[in-house]
Amino acid sequence: MHFKNDLAFAQELDRQDPLRGYREQFIFPQHDGKPVLYLCGNSLGLQPVTVRQALLDELDQWATYGVEGHFRGERPWMHYHKQLTQQACSVVGALPHEVVVMNTLTVNLHLMMVSFYRPTKQRYKIIMEAGAFPSDQYAMETQVRWHGFDPADAIVEIAPRPGEDTLRTEDILATIEREGAQTALVMFGGVNYYTGQFYDLDAITRAGHAAGAYVGFDLAHAAGNVPLHLHEWGPDFAVWCSYKYMNSSPGGPSGMFVHERHANNPEIPRFAGWWGHDEQQRFLMRKGFKPMHGAEGWQLSNAQILSFAAHRASLDMFEKAGINNLREKSLKLTGYLEFLLDEVNPSGQRFRIITPRNPAERGCQLSLLTDNNGKALFDKLTAQGVIADWREPNVIRVAPVPLYNSFEEMWRFVEMLK
Ligand SMILES: *Cc1c(COP(=O)(O)O)cnc(C)c1O
């Protein structure tokens, strides 16, 4: 598409945008009496207007029925998590028995590693991207130690080549091939939080399995951002959170995927709780854990109703908008932002976009690597009502979100930057 750097052009793109109505479904924080320029959906999505009522409904349910709310009313709490499954599946491209919503992301990552990181003397390594999100780094490090191995030896990190910002798929695959015989788990992010790179999850899965390892993904920055086909790609597990691109409230629930090849295998070791036990027999309170079929067999606890209610309200919107439509707008919106950034910074002397230039290798986020004045620039933007985020040592991340950001906002943002 041929873009133009002018306001009328941006406004015309908004007029043609079939998803433009969704913006009104969100509550924008205010700055000087106007909505902020919110470019931070990669960190915490905005509040959908429907969430308040969804929460009030559950408080009413509690007030009306007390403990009987588990069985009565429109959405009994007893099976509440099941109402989220189908919609969560559409977001990540999975079958219903492969997905469950529960806990929070890092908790689920550990639970999955209990099942799928079972190192032996010969096979104990974890292959991951260098510079993964800290929670993932700490999870890997402590899991490795827990099994009595040394992280310095057991964790193989893949870094960009000197002078490059992002990973080459060929380097990822070559590392998996080289270390394969000693590798227990290939664990990758979907979209890297810092660079915004969207990895080739299909290729990584195939390489990991060819090497005889398990493959897991952390999709915190991918879920609700890029199209995912987890069932088809076939990793053993994946985890994600719902409060970034999925706008499901601060600290909102995580989703977890276990591929169906593991659905009927009660022998897989796991840390269990009563909510993962065969639901026909859950209330017989008997000894002997018998996992439910599929991902539900990894549940520990009964549902956190209030945060699940917020998630449900938000997932309804994803279903209506459609993940493919969102991606289509996202490609255009981020493409427009990229075009404008290049216009005001043609030789890259003030900042450099380190996110891949190929739209297929990124989601909506662009990461701007700044010079030494980066923090001052970021603070200036903030003072003018831009909410983006700063990541040490010197990156400004901006994430135009197709559900609530507009083309006009991209133009205004780059005018300010100029
Ligand atoms: C945001 C994020 C997390 C956060 O984990 P929580 O357990 O939800 O606090 C973990 N990993 C990645 C890759 C993230 O982007």
Side-chain angles (χ1 to χ4, degrees), residues 2-309:
H2 185 68
F3 290 128
K4 278 193 227 154
N5 181 9
D6 78 56
L7 177 60
F9 179 82
Q11 289 169 333
E12 183 52 32
L13 289 180
D14 283 325
R15 265 189 296 277
Q16 292 168 9
D17 169 17
L19 299 178
R20 66 183 176 282
Y22 283 94
R23 185 174 165 84
E24 275 126 59
Q25 302 281 314
F26 289 89
I27 303 173
F28 284 74
Q30 301 287 302
H31 175 86
D32 282 346
K34 284 186 303 211
V36 295
L37 225 161
Y38 199 82
L39 297 173
C40 213
N42 56 317
S43 188
L44 178 68
L46 285 178
Q47 182 183 144
V49 291
T50 48
V51 161
R52 182 177 296 260
Q53 191 57 48
L55 294 180
L56 289 173
D57 288 348
E58 298 312 324
L59 292 177
D60 285 345
Q61 169 94 349
W62 185 16
T64 308
Y65 299 115
V67 69
E68 297 199 323
H70 285 292
F71 310 102
R72 299 180 58 179
E74 217 181 305
R75 284 179 292 273
W77 300 327
M78 179 72 180
H79 300 295
Y80 200 95
H81 73 270
K82 291 182 197 283
Q83 298 178 39
L84 305 172
T85 304
Q86 185 60 55
Q87 290 172 322
C89 284
S90 330
V91 174
V92 297
L95 305 176
H97 60 278
E98 293 176 319
V99 166
V100 68
V101 172
M102 63 179 197
N103 307 323
T104 48
L105 194 163
T106 308
V107 172
N108 286 340
L109 182 53
H110 278 296
L111 291 177
M112 287 291 91
M113 291 184 72
V114 166
S115 295
F116 297 106
Y117 178 59
R118 307 200 309 270
T120 62
K121 273 204 164 51
Q122 291 73 37
R123 240 183 220 285
Y124 59 95
K125 291 189 178 174
I126 299 175
I127 297 180
M128 65 189 294
E129 83 241 48
F133 192 84
S135 202
D136 301 53
Q137 294 187 37
Y138 306 148
M140 299 307 126
E141 176 189 330
T142 54
Q143 284 275 345
V144 162
R145 282 193 206 286
W146 160 251
H147 286 284
F149 293 90
D150 173 9
D153 170 39
I155 297 178
V156 179
E157 291 190 335
I158 309 174
R161 294 185 185 187
E164 298 185 6
D165 300 305
T166 52
L167 296 185
R168 296 192 191 192
T169 302
E170 62 195 274
D171 290 355
I172 299 174
L173 302 185
T175 307
I176 295 173
E177 200 171 321
R178 190 186 70 231
E179 304 282 346
Q182 292 185 304
T183 299
L185 176 66
V186 175
M187 178 68 218
F188 252 76
V191 172
N192 182 271
Y193 82 101
Y194 189 77
T195 63
Q197 181 176 16
F198 178 25
Y199 300 113
D200 187 340
L201 302 182
D202 188 15
I204 293 173
T205 305
R206 277 186 276 124
H209 285 165
Y214 283 122
V215 177
F217 295 132
D218 181 337
L219 304 175
H221 285 264
N225 178 19
V226 288
L228 298 166
H229 306 282
L230 289 183
H231 174 73
E232 203 182 303
W233 295 337
D236 299 282
F237 71 88
V239 292
W240 56 93
C241 58
S242 65
Y243 50 83
K244 291 173 178 166
Y245 294 107
M246 277 198 278
N247 318 312
S248 298
S249 80
S254 167
M256 195 189 83
F257 164 93
V258 180
H259 194 271
E260 74 172 347
R261 79 177 73 88
H262 304 298
N264 262 335
N265 182 358
E267 303 308 318
I268 296 181
R270 68 189 87 193
F271 287 171
W274 71 323
W275 232 250
H277 186 76
D278 176 10
E279 63 185 339
Q280 308 306 326
Q281 299 180 6
R282 191 181 294 147
F283 285 88
L284 299 180
M285 310 301 201
R286 285 204 195 117
K287 269 192 183 305
F289 176 68
K290 195 174 144 207
M292 284 180 68
H293 175 80
E296 290 186 331
W298 271 266
Q299 292 176 105
L300 300 182
S301 301
N302 72 101
Q304 304 130 256
I305 297 298
L306 294 181
S307 70
F308 281 30

Side-chain angles (χ1 to χ4, degrees), residues 276-349:
H277 186 76
D278 176 10
E279 63 185 339
Q280 308 306 326
Q281 299 180 6
R282 191 181 294 147
F283 285 88
L284 299 180
M285 310 301 201
R286 285 204 195 117
K287 269 192 183 305
F289 176 68
K290 195 174 144 207
M292 284 180 68
H293 175 80
E296 290 186 331
W298 271 266
Q299 292 176 105
L300 300 182
S301 301
N302 72 101
Q304 304 130 256
I305 297 298
L306 294 181
S307 70
F308 281 30
H311 191 27
R312 194 176 56 75
S314 178
L315 283 171
D316 281 346
M317 208 186 299
F318 266 83
E319 178 168 294
K320 283 197 199 96
I323 193 82
N324 291 329
N325 300 331
L326 287 168
R327 174 64 169 170
E328 198 176 316
K329 173 172 173 187
S330 178
L331 288 169
K332 209 162 160 186
L333 193 61
T334 297
Y336 190 49
L337 175 62
E338 179 185 36
F339 162 81
L340 295 172
L341 288 169
D342 287 341
E343 287 263 301
V344 299
N345 181 48
S347 50
Q349 74 276 37

